[in-house]
Amino acid sequence: MAANLSRFRCLNTPPLRQASRQLLAASPAASRCLATETSATDLTPKRRPTYFKDKLNAVPSFTEFMGMQEEPLSNEDALELRTAMVGPAGKKRQITRLPEWLKTPIPDNSNYKKIKKDLRGLNLHTVCEEARCPNISDCWGGGDKSAATATIMLMGDTCTRGCRFCSVKTNRAPAPLDPHEPEHTAEALARWGLGYVVLTSVDRDDLVDGGARHFTETIMKIKQKKSDILVEALTGDYQGDLEMVAMVAKSGLDVYAHNVETVEELTPFVRDRRATFRQSLAVLEAAKKEVPTLITKTSIMLGLGETDEQLWEALRELRKVDVDVVTFGQYMRPTKRHMKVEEYVTPERFELWRQRALDMGFLYCASGPLVRSSYKAGEAFIENVLKKRKGMTILRDEATGMQKAVV
């Protein structure tokens, strides 16, 4: 018992160091020996200088910084490509900075946040995010959702192909299709109240039909929920299976889009080996033949090293298969793993090719450094064209009915 009591006292005795501190603090003499005498003025605590905080408060706030108006650059300064040296000492390398015309605002507004919240809530993906589109702040902005555009990407966020310009994730065996995706997509679009929507998808070569039936079901559900909505479908090539192309073309969509991406000579170096320029032409031609009233659309990237003659030939081939709309945009390298930019094409050159395309007979051409295949400016024009066509069809049907009634 005595042994246990002494052990208990030993374990609960304050450490020697703590006891000595208490003894020194209690002894006045010790305190006089360990500290020098100070005056009353020295007892006032001094404020520690906060150099970082002071400097931070001296600069504009983030909101003020984003709203600051810079002096406009001259044409020579805006078109000049600037370089910079980056990297540690001894390993510095020269890089080319983005030209002024390729800089876009940071997406940060209420409408952008609402659309993103809706997409995440319904487990939907957009090519705007997956492909790192520079127009996301422009297309997802606007005063309300009806003024915004978001390109829904169907069949997941993983592609079975590996094009050298695209930042979408790739895998030989992606996850199975979500059977609820067509319903969720139709619900989201009906909720936003949009008048024009764009649907696209990853390539799913692991599926027998390439996902054509899933695409078709989504379009039909959208039309069921809102019959007056205009639908553009940006599809893959379904490995050249034109029966799948015909199925999607007859699903009730209004615009059939399929991108050739680049000129024929550069296709093997830019796109996946399973995609060819001629196969893409066959897809666009088959869609037009199946439903002649469809507007067919394609897109070409500039800045990959193409020549003027190659672009002329690509446009001539597209007109041979009655493609209605073509868009030109600047190729922008997503990461260092992707092919590099050969040239930053100036806005004046984009305008030149827009005029050339219109002179060749294209119904519409959107051309600019930041233009993409689903750029909303082009959609606004196509929407008006489709509405006019539908109005003419209604008037023609009414006139035919009157003639029949008179007879």
Side-chain angles (χ1 to χ4, degrees):
M1 182 69 180
N4 292 337
L5 182 60
S6 61
R7 183 181 180 185
F8 175 82
R9 288 177 179 173
C10 182
L11 290 174
N12 288 274
T13 301
L16 294 177
R17 185 177 297 176
Q18 183 177 355
S20 63
R21 287 177 180 173
Q22 292 175 355
L23 181 62
L24 289 173
S27 174
S31 64
R32 284 196 296 272
C33 294
L34 295 174
T36 58
E37 293 185 1
T38 57
S39 62
T41 57
D42 293 337
L43 295 176
T44 305
K46 293 184 179 180
R47 177 178 176 269
R48 181 181 177 183
T50 54
Y51 298 107
F52 177 75
K53 185 176 180 180
D54 293 340
K55 290 183 179 181
L56 186 63
N57 291 334
V59 302
S61 65
F62 181 74
T63 305
E64 294 173 338
F65 174 76
M66 295 302 297
M68 290 177 65
Q69 297 293 331
E70 297 182 356
E71 295 184 2
L73 297 174
S74 64
N75 291 336
E76 293 77 11
D77 292 336
L79 295 177
E80 180 184 359
L81 293 181
R82 291 173 170 78
T83 60
M85 302 300 294
V86 298
K91 296 183 179 180
K92 289 187 178 295
R93 57 189 179 86
Q94 183 175 332
I95 63 170
T96 302
R97 294 193 178 278
L98 283 179
E100 291 296 324
W101 63 80
L102 288 176
K103 296 182 179 180
T104 57
I106 297 174
D108 183 25
N109 56 46
S110 59
N111 197 51
Y112 171 86
K113 295 175 181 176
K114 288 178 183 177
I115 292 180
K116 190 167 186 176
K117 182 179 179 181
D118 287 347
L119 291 168
R120 297 295 85 81
L122 293 171
N123 194 29
L124 299 176
H125 305 279
T126 66
V127 74
C128 316
E129 297 172 294
E130 301 298 333
R132 305 181 184 184
C133 181
N135 294 319
I136 192 168
S137 61
D138 189 23
C139 291
W140 287 25
D144 51 31
K145 290 184 182 180
S146 61
T149 300
T151 303
I152 303 295
M153 190 165 69
L154 303 175
M155 298 187 280
D157 61 351
T158 306
C159 185
T160 55
R161 298 188 183 181
C163 295
R164 295 163 185 83
F165 65 90
C166 184
S167 65
V168 176
K169 293 181 291 187
T170 62
N171 196 318
R172 292 182 179 178
L177 297 181
D178 179 6
H180 304 293
E181 187 177 50
E183 181 66 28
H184 287 171
T185 303
E187 177 63 29
L189 297 177
R191 183 186 301 175
W192 293 342
L194 301 177
Y196 189 103
V197 299
V198 182
L199 303 176
T200 188
S201 71
V202 293
D203 281 298
R204 293 297 300 263
D205 295 329
D206 59 316
L207 303 176
V208 176
D209 64 348
R213 290 178 177 81
H214 191 85
F215 217 127
T216 301
E217 182 184 357
T218 304
I219 297 172
M220 294 176 69
K221 284 189 177 293
I222 293 172
K223 290 289 187 176
Q224 288 172 2
K225 285 186 176 290
K226 192 176 179 183
S227 59
D228 59 339
I229 195 170
L230 299 175
V231 179
E232 174 182 329
L234 176 58
T235 75
D237 57 18
Y238 302 116
Q239 302 185 71
D241 190 343
L242 301 185
E243 290 184 3
M244 299 299 103
V245 175
M247 178 191 299
V248 177
K250 294 186 294 184
S251 62
L253 78 169
D254 302 283
V255 178
Y256 195 108
H258 175 70
N259 292 340
V260 295
E261 307 295 2
T262 186
V263 298
E264 185 171 11
E265 290 79 2
L266 295 181
T267 297
F269 310 101
V270 175
R271 302 174 69 185
D272 186 273
R273 58 182 177 79
R274 288 163 284 188
T276 67
F277 187 84
R278 293 292 161 180
Q279 186 165 274
S280 293
L281 288 178
V283 168
L284 292 165
E285 184 178 21
K288 192 74 168 183
K289 287 183 177 179
E290 192 66 34
V291 184
T293 57
L294 272 181
I295 288 181
T296 50
K297 178 181 174 183
T298 194
S299 180
I300 298 177
M301 296 180 292
L302 302 186
L304 293 168
E306 65 285 336
T307 65
D308 283 0
E309 184 53 40
Q310 291 171 348
L311 278 173
W312 277 116
E313 183 61 26
L315 292 179
R316 283 192 286 265
E317 293 296 327
L318 291 171
R319 285 304 300 141
K320 287 180 182 179
V321 295
D322 293 328
V323 173
D324 299 301
V325 178
V326 64
T327 66
F328 295 105
Q330 171 70 52
Y331 165 64
M332 298 176 68
R333 191 182 192 183
T335 69
K336 294 180 180 179
R337 297 183 294 104
H338 295 81
M339 59 187 304
K340 66 177 184 178
V341 178
E342 295 294 335
E343 177 188 7
Y344 286 114
V345 182
T346 63
E348 288 76 13
R349 185 169 170 80
F350 275 107
E351 175 60 22
L352 175 63
W353 279 108
R354 188 186 75 85
Q355 291 293 339
R356 289 174 174 175
L358 294 177
D359 292 341
M360 292 183 68
F362 286 95
L363 177 67
Y364 178 74
C365 175
S367 181
L370 295 175
V371 169
R372 294 298 180 264
S373 58
S374 57
Y375 190 58
K376 70 176 186 178
E379 290 156 11
F381 177 85
I382 296 172
E383 181 178 358
N384 292 332
V385 170
L386 289 170
K387 287 180 177 178
K388 287 181 180 179
R389 285 187 178 183
K390 288 188 175 183
M392 292 175 61
T393 303
I394 293 172
L395 291 175
R396 191 182 304 113
D397 292 343
E398 290 179 352
T400 304
M402 288 293 292
Q403 291 175 0
K404 290 181 178 179
V406 171
V407 174

